């Protein structure tokens, strides 16, 4: 069981912080494009990316932003809303760290969270604000058995 899942089984509250890291590859982008059908040439063509002012092809913003779902999946978060701000491009080979913080949680398990995703240089590439529902005791008991 991951440390994220262990914390969930114990119970979640405002102020809990979870961190995940991932290095993105060109293959990740190709696969995401096939699934999402987002074939914007900025992800596939060096010349197009350069014409847009980038130093190379870039990853899909939602592919990178999807790091929040790694945390959400581990804690059993049922999302009701997600807002993203894409601040900087993510290039193939960049290592991104996502810091996911629960900012509010009430007695009905309704919650808010924010995520800050930074590259290996410490630059913020994406910010996200989330709303959703945290698992209650019954769900946490099930998670403990999975």
């Amino acid at each position: 069981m991951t440390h994220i899942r262990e914390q969930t089984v114990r119970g979640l509250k405002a102020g809990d912080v979870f961190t995940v890291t991932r290095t993105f590859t060109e293959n990740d982008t190709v696969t995401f494009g096939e699934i999402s059908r987002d074939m914007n040439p900025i992800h596939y063509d060096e010349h197009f990316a350069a014409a847009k002012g980038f130093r190379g092809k870039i990853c899909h913003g939602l592919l990178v932003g999807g790091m929040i779902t790694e945390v959400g999946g581990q804690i059993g978060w049922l999302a009701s809303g997600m807002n993203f701000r894409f601040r900087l491009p993510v290039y193939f080979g960049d290592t991104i760290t996502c810091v996911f913080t629960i900012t509010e949680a009430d007695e009905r398990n309704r919650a808010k969270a924010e995520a800050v995703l930074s590259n290996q240089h410490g630059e913020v590439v994406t910010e996200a604000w989330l709303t959703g529902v945290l698992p209650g005791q019954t769900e946490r008991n099930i998670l403990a058995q999975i």
Side-chain angles (χ1 to χ4, degrees):
M1 183 180 303
T2 68
H3 72 281
I4 296 172
R5 181 68 53 86
E6 288 172 351
Q7 176 63 38
T8 302
V9 169
R10 288 191 298 271
L12 300 171
K13 63 186 180 323
D16 285 345
V17 178
F18 304 99
T19 303
V20 294
T21 300
R22 177 177 177 184
T23 300
F24 287 91
T25 67
E26 185 168 7
N27 188 56
D28 293 332
T29 292
V30 169
T31 301
F32 186 83
E34 289 170 357
I35 292 168
S36 67
R37 296 186 179 181
D38 178 349
M39 296 299 172
N40 186 328
I42 201 158
H43 308 300
Y44 303 98
D45 186 89
E46 293 285 345
H47 298 293
F48 191 87
K52 286 286 193 184
F54 296 106
R55 62 175 169 81
K57 298 177 282 187
I58 63 172
C59 297
H60 295 82
L62 285 178
L63 168 62
V64 177
M67 288 182 74
I68 64 174
T69 65
E70 179 178 348
V71 175
Q74 287 290 322
I75 65 176
W77 176 280
L78 179 60
S80 59
M82 296 181 194
N83 244 334
F84 291 95
R85 180 169 183 230
F86 303 104
R87 296 182 57 184
L88 291 174
V90 172
Y91 296 95
F92 307 146
D94 280 352
T95 298
I96 306 301
T97 299
C98 172
V99 179
F100 183 110
T101 305
I102 298 174
T103 57
E104 296 179 32
D106 67 18
E107 64 283 344
R108 296 181 325 167
N109 296 321
R110 305 243 182 252
K112 293 183 180 181
E114 63 183 29
V116 178
L117 292 80
S118 303
N119 64 20
Q120 67 274 14
H121 307 294
E123 302 166 315
V124 174
V125 298
T126 305
E127 297 170 301
W129 297 269
L130 315 140
T131 56
V133 182
L134 297 172
Q137 187 61 56
T138 301
E139 293 98 344
R140 293 194 338 253
N141 291 341
I142 294 168
L143 288 173
Q145 297 171 21
I146 295 176

